[in-house]
Amino acid sequence: MKALVLGGGSLKGAFQVGVVQAVLEAGFEPEMIYGVSVGSLNASYLVNEAGKQAIEHKKIDWPKISRQLIEFWVKNITKPEDIAIVRSRITLGIDTLMSRFDGLLDTTPLRTLIHQNVDEFILKNSPVKLKVGTVDVVSGKMVYATPENEHFLDYILASSSLPTLMPSVHIKGQRKAAFLDGGLRVVAPLKAALEDGATEVVCVACHAEHIYDEPLNHRNLLKLIERVKDINVNQVVNSDIAWAQSYVEKEGFKGRALNLTVIRPQEPLHLDMLKFNSDDIVRLVVQGYKTGFDYIQENGLPVIEVNSSNGTIKNHTSI
């Protein structure tokens, strides 16, 4: 099974979109897509468009879908208010005193964006399977949802809801649960893909391996929260990738051929989620495409071929 794994990264997901275009143009055709945080938004859009094409044309044009995903970002995510609105200080103060704090940001725009661009019926009937990860902050457990789950669009919103900045999501029928960004526990859901039986995995991460010194106004609450999140996410995604690489190596010793490709930025990406414009989004998309294109030109995309006549497995590289 071919799996595309899309990690979290908030608005740095624009970089991910560029890499995805390079990967899909290179001929990678995922059978299942996994996403966490912004990766869940990108994954859901890709699976939704694949489902539409399968219904209308009986085939899937992945390069075209990747271009549609870029168009979605460039047209719909051009300023902070397209995703969330900063709550007034008076409202925040009252809600905090009354023990009903519901995030520093109002995510109604993000909810609307999801409902306008993703259809639960199409997701459920798409030939490409989808799984998104979120965390139940009551139990502390990682929860993976598929379109078969009721109120699936709420799981996408929950997976994208940044802790403290955004409100937790309450899903109908689950009174004792409250869901937030899956990146609290897993940033790149590689383990889920491999345990589901994926043999060829391409992972697109939004975070570089190392965090470098950069100017920070640590007295600005929102910027400090964002910085703390980035530090935590960086550590988690490195652990996710290290686990997957170790798993693939161990399976190889057992004679089970698995291929894992991880494409991520060489240096930290910079985008102020409280102050950005369409040019910033385009810049990250272009940067992502160049990173993905350069990686594929240099390394190719490993694939596995199984000879049906004798069952032998052969690894090779495809460009």
Side-chain angles (χ1 to χ4, degrees):
M1 181 181 77
K2 295 181 179 180
L4 179 62
V5 175
L6 303 179
S10 185
L11 290 167
K12 293 164 187 164
F15 169 89
Q16 185 177 81
V17 167
V19 177
V20 166
Q21 182 184 19
V23 169
L24 297 182
E25 284 183 346
F28 189 74
E29 298 183 348
E31 298 164 80
M32 190 159 187
I33 305 181
Y34 296 74
V36 160
S37 192
V38 71
S40 70
L41 180 64
N42 287 334
S44 299
Y45 186 90
L46 290 168
V47 172
N48 191 76
E49 293 305 310
K52 275 195 214 175
Q53 287 193 4
I55 293 170
E56 296 171 3
H57 308 293
K58 308 301 181 186
K59 62 179 181 179
I60 299 174
D61 183 342
W62 283 110
K64 180 180 179 180
I65 292 176
S66 71
R67 293 191 294 272
Q68 290 173 320
L69 178 58
I70 290 176
E71 184 178 346
F72 164 76
W73 271 77
V74 172
K75 283 187 174 181
N76 295 289
I77 306 176
T78 63
K79 58 186 182 299
E81 293 76 19
D82 291 335
I83 298 297
I85 301 169
V86 179
R87 298 184 192 275
S88 72
R89 292 182 180 181
I90 294 175
T91 300
L92 283 173
I94 294 173
D95 286 347
T96 301
L97 288 173
M98 299 295 291
S99 296
R100 59 188 188 198
F101 176 74
D102 205 22
L104 298 174
L105 304 175
D106 176 358
T107 54
T108 298
L110 177 58
R111 179 186 290 274
T112 300
L113 196 63
I114 292 171
H115 280 262
Q116 287 179 343
N117 291 276
V118 180
D119 184 277
E120 286 190 356
F121 175 82
I122 293 175
L123 291 177
K124 192 177 294 186
N125 290 279
S126 175
V128 182
K129 301 306 178 184
L130 171 65
K131 188 173 282 190
V132 303
T134 181
V135 169
D136 174 7
V137 293
V138 177
S139 69
K141 294 180 180 179
M142 188 74 186
V143 175
Y144 285 102
T146 71
E148 281 67 39
N149 289 93
E150 285 190 283
H151 313 293
F152 179 69
L153 299 191
D154 286 338
Y155 284 100
I156 301 173
L157 178 64
S159 182
S160 306
S161 294
L162 304 174
T164 307
L165 287 177
M166 298 177 174
S168 57
V169 176
H170 298 271
I171 296 174
K172 188 175 180 181
Q174 300 192 47
R175 291 185 297 173
K176 295 183 179 180
F179 298 93
L180 277 172
D181 188 350
L184 281 168
R185 297 203 58 157
V186 174
V187 177
L190 287 159
K191 185 176 183 180
L194 291 166
E195 289 185 343
D196 282 348
T199 53
E200 297 175 39
V201 179
V202 174
C203 172
V204 184
C206 300
H207 294 82
E209 183 176 0
H210 302 288
I211 290 181
Y212 300 87
D213 292 334
E214 60 181 324
L216 171 70
N217 179 4
H218 59 275
R219 295 187 181 278
N220 181 307
L221 178 60
L222 293 179
K223 290 185 180 295
L224 180 60
I225 291 173
E226 179 72 3
R227 178 61 170 172
V228 169
K229 178 185 72 67
D230 276 346
I231 293 171
N232 179 68
V233 167
N234 181 262
Q235 180 60 43
V236 174
V237 73
N238 285 346
S239 297
D240 292 339
I241 292 170
W243 180 91
Q245 290 171 332
S246 176
Y247 179 87
V248 168
E249 184 177 359
K250 289 177 182 176
E251 291 299 296
F253 289 144
K254 298 176 184 177
R256 181 170 176 242
L258 301 175
N259 279 321
L260 170 63
T261 298
V262 177
I263 305 177
R264 64 195 305 189
Q266 295 298 309
E267 297 183 357
L269 303 174
H270 300 293
L271 183 71
D272 186 344
M273 69 174 294
L274 301 176
K275 187 180 179 181
F276 69 90
N277 56 39
S278 57
D279 290 340
D280 295 318
I281 296 298
V282 170
R283 169 179 57 82
L284 281 185
V285 171
V286 171
Q287 184 179 348
Y289 182 78
K290 184 178 186 307
T291 298
F293 181 85
D294 290 347
Y295 179 95
I296 294 167
Q297 287 298 303
E298 182 177 349
N299 303 285
L301 290 176
V303 296
I304 298 173
E305 284 187 357
V306 179
N307 189 319
S308 58
S309 62
N310 57 24
T312 58
I313 298 175
K314 178 182 178 182
N315 290 312
H316 67 92
T317 299
S318 172
I319 296 180

